[in-house]
Amino acid sequence: MSKLPLIDGIMKYISEKNNLFCMPGHKQGKGFLCTNEGKIFYDNFIKFDLTEVDGLDNLHHAEGIIKEAEEKLSEFYGTKKSYFLVNGSTSGNLAMIFTCFNEGDKVIVERNCHRSIFNGIIMRKLKPVYIKNNFNDKINAPLAIDEEYFLKLLDENRDAKGVIITYPNYYGVCCNLEFIAKEAKKRGMKVVVDSAHGAHFGVCDELPKSAVKLGCDIVVMSAHKTLPSLTQTAYLHLCSNDVEMDKLDFYVSSFLTTSPSYIFMASMDYARFYIEEKGEDEYRKLIYKCNKYARKINKIQGMHILSEEDLKNENQCIDKTRFVINVDKGYSAFKLYNYLKKNFIQPEMCDSQNVILIFSPFNGEEEFEKLYTVLKDCKMEELRDKNLDLKELSIPKMGINPWEALNGGKEMVNIEEAEGKICADAIVPYPPGVPILMPGEIISKVSIDEIKYYLENNALVMGINEYKINTVIRR
């Protein structure tokens, strides 16, 4: 048994020299080594692990260098105020939910939001009304919001206090956020956005517009997902005058550690510097490579890279710096994912028919060429398997409010015996972190089949323990 299992395990992974088409965006340090400023940070990394001593400011009462760095961040993105988040986008999502909504408020929320949004809904004791996204038959996945359905939902729930949107989703698809924000604000609702995967948006005109420019109130972005910053780093942006800044200050501070990492903060400052100084040119080069290899991969029988043409909606757009590799029906994306890993290519995630890869400017031509070669050499017959038809899935019915499911008695039951019972925990395949079931929802046969499908394909399903699910004991 290893004396240092974590360190030894990480060193083993590093020694395999995987091509990383996943987070974090700096791609094992290459994002720091490409500039003189980044090299200073890289070479002095451990020395940056400091605390709030004289001259280094205090994140919870910034008056010096942290204040200056956050002001530069705000100036670059064009916001009322911007914050460094050392507890990731999760802390930002919680802060914006607690700032904008009060206990008992009704909120309209996308069903494909990250689990941290749902956790915030539970903690704040909100009443969610879920938006079901349009389904795309080609890639067998829900993609973006149907605008007519959204307007109907707004009019049916005029007492809702706000809308919670994801932009982009895990497939890189962006809804018509400007339209959504305009219609919601017209009805007096706040609009808060989890833009964890969109920190690089707007840096060039070939990318979607940044969420901070589209009429929303608060936007959260993960710095580490697409930019050269360390894992667990994120930004929160205040974009309107309709939010109490003092209240937001309080909740941001409340959800952050009182011992913030200066290494994290320095990496976020560098990420802003990099995208401001180098971003436009470097992202144009990256998109050129992505387009070039998408054309090549699309010639491989049985595979297709999702593009805006597949969306069939002129008001939706897609992040061109990621690949959604869709395999034809009758083939398994889980098997393709495992095939890529065996060839030392690490994707971000997969579902039944799609493998998602996230690129940054630090993925070189040789990495794209290797990806293409490995895909070209793939024997498609070895990927044959049944697919889960997600079109039949529907938003589960709510039995009790999500927060109510946390109180009272619970019992673990076998998945096969759970139909009709109320779910007590969030059931979340991870990644992407989008719940199949939320606490308080009634477990249906369709949900059980979906859970079993992920388990059969060796996916991590949080909330499932030894094929059992936690349920609420009804009285």
Side-chain angles (χ1 to χ4, degrees):
M1 184 178 290
S2 170
K3 292 181 179 180
L4 292 166
L6 186 61
I7 290 175
D8 290 345
I10 294 171
M11 288 304 297
K12 181 179 182 297
Y13 183 85
I14 292 171
S15 69
E16 292 173 347
K17 297 181 180 178
N18 290 271
N19 291 266
L20 300 180
F21 298 130
C22 61
M23 302 180 288
H26 62 76
K27 307 300 178 185
Q28 285 193 314
K30 289 187 284 187
F32 300 113
L33 294 173
C34 64
T35 68
N36 290 330
E37 292 81 2
K39 286 176 184 175
I40 292 171
F41 174 73
Y42 188 95
D43 291 340
N44 294 280
F45 184 83
I46 200 63
K47 296 178 182 177
F48 275 50
D49 189 20
L50 298 161
T51 190
E52 295 89 347
V53 295
D54 289 347
L56 294 188
D57 207 0
N58 186 311
L59 179 61
H60 293 272
H61 187 69
E63 296 179 319
I65 57 175
I66 296 174
K67 181 175 184 287
E68 184 180 351
E70 288 185 325
E71 286 174 347
K72 284 184 176 293
L73 179 68
S74 176
E75 184 179 346
F76 171 70
Y77 279 103
T79 65
K80 303 290 182 185
K81 186 174 182 179
S82 293
Y83 303 76
F84 287 154
L85 303 176
V86 292
N87 289 34
S89 283
T90 291
S91 63
N93 287 340
L94 295 176
M96 70 182 182
I97 286 172
F98 272 71
T99 299
C100 291
F101 309 117
N102 296 316
E103 187 172 312
D105 282 351
K106 180 191 287 187
V107 293
I108 297 171
V109 56
E110 273 193 280
R111 181 67 187 187
N112 69 343
C113 280
H114 188 264
R115 65 189 294 259
S116 60
I117 293 289
F118 294 108
N119 288 343
I121 288 171
I122 292 171
M123 292 165 64
R124 197 52 162 164
K125 295 185 177 181
L126 303 180
K127 298 175 181 177
V129 176
Y130 295 122
I131 307 169
K132 185 177 180 181
N133 286 14
N134 270 342
F135 189 86
N136 186 291
D137 288 304
K138 169 65 180 172
I139 72 164
N140 191 29
L143 286 188
I145 294 171
D146 180 289
E147 292 172 14
E148 288 186 14
Y149 172 76
F150 175 71
L151 289 177
K152 182 173 179 287
L153 208 58
L154 289 181
D155 289 336
E156 290 175 348
N157 296 277
R158 287 186 173 272
D159 56 335
K161 301 301 182 182
V163 178
I164 305 173
I165 298 294
T166 303
Y167 176 94
N169 63 21
Y170 294 96
Y171 302 94
V173 174
C174 299
C175 61
N176 187 356
L177 183 57
E178 189 168 20
F179 167 83
I180 289 169
K182 179 182 177 182
E183 292 298 328
K185 299 290 281 184
K186 190 189 298 182
R187 293 162 173 81
M189 300 180 190
K190 289 189 171 61
V191 181
V192 297
V193 181
D194 178 357
S195 187
H197 289 262
H200 59 303
F201 282 6
V203 71
C204 70
D205 55 16
E206 294 177 78
L207 287 168
K209 291 180 180 178
S210 174
V212 300
K213 303 292 186 182
L214 298 176
C216 308
D217 291 294
I218 303 178
V219 176
V220 173
M221 298 173 173
S222 285
H224 71 95
K225 283 182 168 62
T226 57
L227 304 183
S229 190
L230 298 180
T231 298
Q232 202 177 310
T233 59
Y235 305 135
L236 183 146
H237 303 292
L238 174 62
C239 307
S240 82
N241 293 319
D242 295 333
V243 175
E244 297 176 47
M245 190 179 293
D246 289 347
K247 193 175 181 182
L248 181 60
D249 288 344
F250 171 79
Y251 281 116
V252 168
S253 181
S254 296
F255 286 110
L256 295 182
T257 174
T258 55
S259 301
S261 166
Y262 278 79
I263 300 176
F264 285 1
M265 290 188 284
S267 75
M268 284 188 272
D269 196 26
Y270 173 74
R272 186 272 314 158
F273 162 82
Y274 176 86
I275 197 170
E276 185 172 3
E277 297 289 326
K278 310 281 186 181
E280 183 171 2
D281 289 341
E282 294 304 315
Y283 272 93
R284 287 189 192 282
K285 292 175 186 176
L286 173 61
I287 291 169
Y288 174 81
K289 283 185 287 192
C290 290
N291 291 339
K292 173 183 173 181
Y293 282 91
R295 289 191 295 269
K296 295 177 72 170
I297 293 169
N298 283 342
K299 293 177 182 178
I300 301 172
Q301 189 171 357
M303 297 183 193
H304 173 74
I305 305 293
L306 182 68
S307 68
E308 287 184 356
E309 287 71 35
D310 297 309
L311 302 181
K312 299 177 183 177
N313 188 325
E314 62 183 16
N315 293 320
Q316 296 170 8
C317 57
I318 196 167
D319 180 4
K320 296 182 177 68
T321 68
R322 68 175 58 200
F323 279 174
V324 178
I325 305 176
N326 173 252
V327 295
D328 288 349
K329 284 183 170 58
Y331 297 96
S332 168
F334 287 106
K335 289 186 176 181
L336 178 59
Y337 179 93
N338 289 328
Y339 167 78
L340 290 172
K341 283 177 64 179
K342 286 178 183 176
N343 285 275
F344 303 103
I345 291 174
Q346 179 63 62
E348 173 67 20
M349 56 163 279
C350 73
D351 62 22
S352 175
Q353 277 185 248
N354 306 282
V355 176
I356 290 88
L357 303 98
I358 299 179
F359 307 115
S360 80
F362 319 112
N363 289 117
E365 183 88 19
E366 72 285 351
E367 292 176 279
F368 279 91
E369 187 62 36
K370 179 178 178 180
L371 172 65
Y372 167 69
T373 301
V374 168
L375 290 172
K376 182 169 62 70
D377 292 343
C378 179
K379 295 179 175 60
M380 290 297 295
E381 285 304 307
E382 296 180 2
L383 304 184
R384 283 203 175 275
D385 205 345
K386 65 177 181 179
N387 299 124
L388 178 67
D389 189 357
L390 295 174
K391 188 173 185 178
E392 302 304 318
L393 302 180
S394 58
I395 296 174
K397 293 181 180 178
M398 195 177 296
I400 57 178
N401 285 312
W403 60 269
E404 291 177 309
L406 295 181
N407 302 321
K410 302 180 182 66
E411 64 176 346
M412 297 291 291
V413 301
N414 189 283
I415 292 175
E416 302 286 2
E417 301 169 357
E419 185 176 353
K421 295 182 181 294
I422 293 178
C423 190
D425 295 329
I427 309 301
V428 189
Y430 209 93
V434 177
I436 296 173
L437 284 162
M438 281 294 295
E441 291 180 339
I442 299 172
I443 303 167
S444 67
K445 185 180 184 306
V446 172
S447 297
I448 292 171
D449 289 343
E450 186 178 3
I451 293 167
K452 288 165 62 177
Y453 179 82
Y454 279 104
L455 291 174
E456 287 164 5
N457 283 277
N458 298 314
L460 172 64
V461 183
M462 300 176 70
I464 298 296
N465 185 14
E466 295 182 349
Y467 218 69
K468 292 183 177 181
I469 186 170
N470 206 11
T471 63
V472 175
I473 298 175
R474 299 198 198 197
R475 296 180 178 177

